Amino acid sequence: MAAAKIKKGDRVIVLSGKDKGKTGEVTQALPKDGKVIVSGVNIAIRHTKPSQGDPQGGLVRAEAPLHASKVAHVTADGKPTRVRFETKDGKKVRVAVKSGETISG
């Protein structure tokens, strides 16, 4: 349910975990898993052996998915808000609960 309210390109803030308080843009939404990938947040480090494709090997840093319930949409003033759906002009649109402004996308 929460994954449908947060889409690719949204500015979000992390609500809990090691990256609590960090903001970033959603680079990928995984609605089937209920997860999102946020740029610069939840960086996972993997140790890789040298191979033909990567002769150096070493540490590879990548953004890991976060559960959608751990992030919230950010308003213009930088505060988190919930998202609800409303019908405007016959179209279903996302609306920020705190400010009432329509969220594009």
Side-chain angles (χ1 to χ4, degrees), residues 44-51 53-62:
I45 300 172
R46 167 166 268 145
H47 300 261
T48 57
K49 280 178 143 181
S51 64
D54 182 19
Q56 182 65 35
L59 301 177
V60 176
R61 289 171 171 78

Side-chain angles (χ1 to χ4, degrees), residues 2-3 6 8-9 13 19 22-23 32-34 43 45 48 51-52 55 60 68 73 78 84 86-87 93 104:
I6 296 174
K8 181 179 175 180
I13 187 166
D19 292 322
K22 287 187 181 178
T23 60
K32 284 186 180 178
D33 302 329
I43 304 295
I45 300 172
T48 57
S51 64
Q52 271 191 320
V60 176
H73 202 275
R84 71 168 173 250
E86 288 182 1
T87 309
V93 293
S104 62

Side-chain angles (χ1 to χ4, degrees), residues 1-6 31-35 67-69 83-85:
M1 181 172 159
K5 294 182 178 183
I6 296 174
K32 284 186 180 178
D33 302 329
K35 296 186 177 192
H67 198 271
S69 64
V83 176
R84 71 168 173 250
F85 290 102

